[in-house]
Amino acid sequence: MQSSQRLNWLRRILLVKVALCFLVWGLPALLAPPALLPLLGLSVPEDPLLLRSFGALVITMGVAYWYAYQDPVKNVAILKVGLVDNGLAALAVLLSAVTTGASSWFAWLSAGLTAFFFAALALLMPREHAA
């Protein structure tokens, strides 16, 4: 695949990632009432501080992905952070499933999506040019 095609696919994937960061993970975790979590198959934490902090972090990553979307080559460091972010998120859900038996459809969907984004970033990461 040519470099321009790779960048076009990367930008499309980043746009989807931005939308998911804001609409599916970030804003609901930051602002939604705790009663929403059982609808997603998730348990309601007694103290919502970690949930709200997670939402703020995901929105922050969504902003970073937006910058990467605008210029993936210039913002390759954001893509590298995203590689780690998505890899660790997918791994965390898998480890949780193995150790505690996580069974939430939303957690599994999120793990699948983050694994997809990890693979996409790994495959489509712009190659650094030698100076």
Side-chain angles (χ1 to χ4, degrees), residues 47-128:
D47 181 4
L49 178 63
L50 288 177
L51 177 66
R52 303 306 184 193
S53 297
F54 169 76
L57 175 64
V58 172
I59 289 171
T60 302
M61 285 301 300
V63 171
Y65 287 126
W66 177 253
Y67 282 104
Y69 163 79
Q70 291 175 342
D71 190 347
V73 175
K74 179 180 174 185
N75 295 303
V76 72
I78 294 171
L79 299 176
K80 290 178 181 181
V81 169
L83 190 68
V84 174
D85 168 48
N86 287 287
L88 289 177
L91 185 62
V93 173
L94 291 176
L95 287 175
S96 177
V98 169
T99 58
T100 64
S103 60
S104 164
W105 66 268
F106 185 76
W108 282 113
L109 177 64
S110 296
L113 287 169
T114 55
F116 167 77
F117 289 119
F118 172 81
L121 289 174
L123 292 172
L124 298 172
M125 182 84 58
R127 291 183 175 85
E128 296 183 45

